[in-house]
Amino acid sequence: MADTKREIERKFEFRTTKAGRRGVPDLTGTDAIAAVTDQGTAELDAVYYDTPDQRLAADGLTLRRRTGGKDAGWHLKLPVAPGVRDEITAPLGDTVPEALTVLLRSRVRGAPLEPQVRLLSSRKLSHLLDADGALLAELSTDAVRAERADATAAWTEVEVELADGADPALLDAVEKTFRKAGLRVSDAPSKLARALTETGGEPPARTTGPGTGLAEDSVGAHLLAYLREQRDTLIAQDPAVRRGLPDSVHQMRIATRRLRGAFKTFRRVLDPAETGPIGEELRWLAAELGVDRDQEVLLERIQTRLDELPRTLVLGPVRGRLKIWNVARRTGSRRAALAALDSRRYVALLNALDALLADPPLMKAAARPAESALPAAVLADYERLAGRIAGALSLDPGQDRDLALHEARKAAKRARYAAEAAAPALGKPARKLAKAVKAVQSLLGDHQDGVVAREALRGLAVQAAGAGESAFTWGVLYAREEALAERRERELPQVWAAAAGPVAMVRG
């Protein structure tokens, strides 16, 4: 079993030998720190694991087996933001725990995890307390020795890690005091990163340039940078989905859609014969993830509508039935999403994306300047959206129009993603178009969510009636969703018209 802790910290090092001899200054009186209490010294022995080609280190992850101190065990640290990591711990054992290896699957993909570096640290620990004696942060001064093969390195590192709920502004105040005493923020993001650098084992940098002989301002180089960004997002969201973190499924699904959309939008830049099969696999992954995400969205919508009702309109065990219904559907949907992430098919998809980006199937048009090539691709997706909206609005209200508006929503997503992908090169016109199309997408999305909600509410009403409960409240909610859908359809022409200005800007 693994436990998780959000780690917010800042690492420092002494600027000069003289500053190191003076040591860490007394922090009493800095910000809310009223006392500094000595917690003794611990001897720590940590072995860091990685793949032979150091995939974890390249992405800023660390996996270690540590003995000594109060938190001996296996520790996996996942980057969240600069200076912020999630530390996931598991009990000490001889092999990497399954609870941690599964979180590394999108990066490791079957490659062995082997010892890479050993760090021996003599840690002097102090607690930083406020006036009431509550813990604000832990102050650690580590004398570190790194061992990697025949190479060694040694340094002293000072670390301040906030306690749960502490104000992050404390770190800024501590940094100010430390600067005056000759300490500066460490250049290395972690002990492991510094150890690898100083022992000659720094991981290879991720490829960020085209690597294809393309000019930096070419549409091919621009597209490849965008695709790498989405691939990296897909990989990074994998452990978050497995941990059930909020919005993680949504973000992972968006990355798959953006990749698929880019393959289609820029089919004259990358050979569709090569991208097409990968796009179909991305469609499969998005569908598997979508079952769980769609249920999450649907429940939130119904709960919100239910909360809006006066109490006099809520008859019977409505909330209890809604909870039972959701648990039954959500259990299966989450299991399906995790099964997809554990499948060989998923790993094959990630490998195919890597291979495509390492050796992209570029077409002749890839060498064209981005500023001249991108507008046509973006406008083509916009015109496709325009046709679908016109077709939907020409239909009478009802099921056929609902289906047509749903297809228009899909086209709106693709048009929005195309504009967003072009924004780094086209600037303000593309950003404005993306914003306008996003408004169209949001409206159409709300309309489609209402269609799905009405079907679910009808089913809940049938279940309630079958159990001898009142179906009245479910009927009220159904009627409200119908009224909201009609309102969205009336609003669509005006929202759609707002995109005309940005389109003209993109056309130039």
Side-chain angles (χ1 to χ4, degrees):
M1 184 173 179
D3 296 319
T4 302
K5 177 186 177 184
R6 177 62 55 88
E7 182 182 80
I8 304 176
E9 64 183 16
R10 199 165 297 176
K11 298 178 183 295
F12 302 88
E13 58 188 53
F14 294 101
R15 287 199 298 262
T16 63
T17 303
K18 182 178 180 181
R21 286 198 297 268
R22 287 198 302 264
V24 178
D26 183 6
L27 291 172
T28 303
T30 299
D31 198 67
I33 301 171
V36 179
T37 61
D38 183 9
Q39 300 297 308
T41 301
E43 303 300 322
L44 310 176
D45 187 344
V47 177
Y48 286 77
Y49 285 66
D50 205 336
T51 60
D53 55 357
Q54 298 181 340
R55 299 178 194 176
L56 303 186
D59 282 352
L61 282 72
T62 60
L63 173 66
R64 73 187 178 203
R65 180 186 185 275
R66 189 164 79 180
T67 57
K70 296 180 180 179
D71 61 347
W74 287 90
H75 304 161
L76 171 62
K77 296 190 178 185
L78 302 170
V80 176
V84 182
R85 295 188 291 181
D86 278 348
E87 183 179 55
I88 304 167
T89 61
L92 197 62
D94 293 334
T95 59
V96 184
E98 175 67 18
L100 301 186
T101 57
V102 72
L103 299 178
L104 299 172
R105 194 162 190 263
S106 64
R107 292 177 170 90
V108 174
R109 304 179 206 172
L113 288 168
E114 301 171 344
Q116 300 292 326
V117 179
R118 183 184 185 190
L119 294 184
L120 301 169
S121 302
S122 181
R123 167 168 291 182
K124 180 181 178 182
L125 181 65
S126 299
H127 282 175
L128 309 181
L129 309 177
D130 66 12
D132 296 324
L135 180 65
L136 293 172
E138 288 189 341
L139 168 66
S140 304
T141 303
D142 294 347
V144 185
R145 175 182 170 83
E147 299 176 352
R148 180 179 175 274
D150 295 329
T152 63
W155 68 91
T156 298
E157 179 177 286
V158 179
E159 176 183 299
V160 179
E161 180 180 342
L162 294 181
D164 292 342
D167 186 351
L170 177 67
L171 294 177
D172 295 329
V174 168
E175 181 180 339
K176 184 177 180 180
T177 299
F178 276 180
R179 280 202 307 267
K180 295 177 181 178
L183 287 96
R184 64 180 178 86
V185 176
S186 176
D187 293 330
S190 66
K191 286 186 178 66
L192 175 62
R194 182 166 182 173
L196 290 172
T197 299
E198 297 198 9
T199 59
E202 190 172 5
R206 271 193 174 275
T207 302
T208 55
T212 55
L214 293 170
E216 290 186 6
D217 63 349
S218 67
V219 67
H222 178 89
L223 174 60
L224 290 175
Y226 177 77
L227 293 176
R228 289 190 188 98
E229 180 182 349
Q230 303 313 315
R231 183 273 313 271
D232 292 348
T233 297
L234 184 66
I235 291 171
Q237 287 298 327
D238 176 292
V241 171
R242 295 177 187 274
R243 294 166 59 200
L245 297 187
D247 205 42
S248 57
V249 171
H250 180 50
Q251 293 303 319
M252 191 176 192
R253 200 176 176 197
I254 286 177
T256 66
R257 287 172 171 166
R258 284 178 169 155
L259 285 163
R260 283 185 62 230
F263 289 160
K264 293 180 178 181
T265 298
F266 302 104
R267 57 191 176 278
R268 295 182 181 177
V269 179
L270 291 179
D271 187 352
E274 299 291 332
T275 61
I278 298 177
E280 287 305 307
E281 290 303 281
L282 288 166
R283 180 201 294 270
W284 159 77
L285 179 59
E288 294 297 317
L289 294 171
V291 176
D292 191 54
R293 170 62 181 170
D294 291 346
Q295 179 61 24
E296 179 183 16
V297 171
L298 179 57
L299 174 65
E300 183 179 346
R301 185 181 185 94
I302 294 176
Q303 284 180 327
T304 299
R305 299 289 180 263
L306 185 57
D307 291 342
E308 293 170 350
L309 289 182
R311 291 183 181 180
T312 54
L313 298 184
V314 181
L315 305 183
V318 174
R319 297 187 187 278
R321 176 151 300 282
L322 182 62
K323 182 177 181 180
I324 293 171
W325 168 83
N326 180 64
V327 169
R329 291 167 62 102
R330 194 74 187 275
T331 300
S333 65
R334 175 158 176 79
R335 188 182 301 118
L338 294 179
L341 298 185
D342 287 336
S343 68
R344 293 182 180 179
R345 185 175 181 178
Y346 170 63
V347 172
L349 167 59
L350 296 180
N351 289 336
L353 280 170
D354 285 350
L356 180 96
L357 293 171
D359 185 19
L362 296 168
M363 308 280 280
K364 186 177 180 180
R368 292 182 59 195
E371 288 190 12
S372 62
L374 286 172
V378 172
L379 292 172
D381 279 348
Y382 172 82
E383 294 299 337
R384 176 171 171 268
L385 169 60
R388 292 197 179 183
I389 287 182
L393 292 177
S394 69
L395 299 173
D396 293 330
Q399 186 176 15
D400 288 344
R401 177 184 267 197
D402 289 343
L403 291 173
L405 289 172
H406 182 42
E407 291 304 311
R409 176 196 187 188
K410 295 178 184 177
K413 287 181 181 178
R414 180 166 150 185
R416 171 194 165 190
Y417 296 154
E420 290 175 345
L426 300 184
K428 186 176 180 180
R431 289 194 296 271
K432 281 185 169 293
L433 179 58
K435 183 178 180 180
V437 175
K438 182 180 179 181
V440 175
Q441 176 196 329
S442 297
L443 185 148
L444 293 173
D446 190 65
H447 182 276
Q448 175 60 19
D449 289 348
V451 171
V452 174
R454 292 204 304 271
E455 184 61 27
L457 290 167
R458 182 180 180 280
L460 283 161
V462 170
Q463 291 178 17
E469 302 164 5
S470 171
F472 174 80
T473 300
W474 305 117
V476 171
L477 292 175
Y478 187 101
R480 289 198 168 198
E481 287 290 358
E482 270 192 327
L484 183 59
E486 292 174 1
R487 187 189 314 163
R488 293 290 177 262
E489 291 178 27
R490 291 194 302 271
E491 294 170 348
L492 178 57
Q494 181 178 356
V495 175
W496 171 240
V503 168
M505 293 173 65
V506 172
R507 291 187 196 278

